[in-house]
Amino acid sequence: MHFHLLQHSPHHGPGRIADWLTSMGHSHTVFHLHAGEAPPSLADGDALILLDGPMGTFDDERYPWLKRERKLIAKALDGNKPLLGIGMGARMIAAELGATVGRGTFAEVGWHEVTLAAESPFDLPERFAAFMWHRDVFALPDDALPLGGSVGSPVQGFAWDAGRALGLLCHLEVTRASVDELLANSERPEGSETSPHAQPAESILADARRFDHLAPLLDRLLSQWIRSAPA
């Protein structure tokens, strides 16, 4: 399969996703929308991945390419190709499905435990630690099944259309290198200074094994997602 990856910021890259795709024999192209590259044609790829970014879902005045991306998401949802969104990408999918997207009560930054919902279709442990970097959140879209939640954000993800479309607020794709870049070059989510769910950089980087533990979780998630692709 050939995957289109849409990148919204130089510091919110695909992380371990690119390595996973290559290891599984898939090809991919990254479209740097933040650098002026146009979104791809949906017909040119087999699946679409929307990465995270610091901008608002409807911040069209500052980022006019968001309107074109929303049209692409709508086409993907109406079609039959797999669609995955992470962070901002998940918020865009949720909004296109009619769910409320807005500012959460607290920023979540660092490592936080996610507890699977009882009805979750995700092939993941009942509890696992994931990396967080957000203030904006989304409600569960109609006809979607929830991933589960954390203390700070009750909806950490969803599966829609039998798992063909996935949205993840949390991050399983990050590596130590990608988080180092994020901490060095990107502003922390608004409200991080006062949030009880925001960790300082030294705590985030204190245990490198946390990044290693994400690898099998990402593998399980992406494998499940790809299996949902129509024959």
Side-chain angles (χ1 to χ4, degrees), residues 77-98:
L77 291 172
D78 288 340
N80 62 355
K81 293 182 179 180
L83 175 64
L84 168 65
I86 300 171
M88 175 197 167
R91 293 193 293 273
M92 294 189 75
I93 296 173
E96 197 62 38
L97 290 172

Side-chain angles (χ1 to χ4, degrees), residues 106-215:
F106 297 108
E108 277 190 305
V109 177
W111 299 95
H112 298 280
E113 184 176 81
V114 176
T115 301
L116 284 191
E119 65 273 39
S120 175
F122 289 78
D123 179 23
L124 293 170
E126 291 184 6
R127 291 182 177 83
F128 60 90
F131 183 74
M132 313 283 185
W133 189 273
H134 65 264
R135 175 69 182 270
D136 288 351
V137 295
F138 48 79
L140 184 68
D142 289 343
D143 301 319
L145 291 174
L147 164 67
S150 63
V151 173
S153 300
V155 181
Q156 282 286 340
F158 61 86
W160 182 83
D161 192 19
R164 179 177 66 86
L166 300 184
L168 291 178
L169 186 62
C170 59
H171 295 268
L172 305 181
E173 84 286 358
V174 295
T175 64
R176 170 63 188 261
S178 68
V179 171
D180 278 338
E181 180 177 359
L182 196 61
L183 290 169
N185 299 290
S186 186
E187 291 186 9
R188 290 165 69 91
E190 183 180 345
S192 298
E193 299 79 7
T194 58
S195 172
H197 306 298
Q199 300 162 3
E202 55 268 25
S203 297
I204 292 172
L205 302 175
D207 188 354
R209 293 173 298 179
R210 285 172 165 168
F211 297 99
D212 297 331
H213 294 161
L214 292 180

Side-chain angles (χ1 to χ4, degrees), residues 20-40:
W20 186 89
L21 292 173
T22 300
S23 70
M24 298 300 291
H26 302 298
S27 58
H28 69 277
T29 303
V30 179
F31 294 83
H32 300 88
L33 304 189
H34 61 92
E37 294 183 9

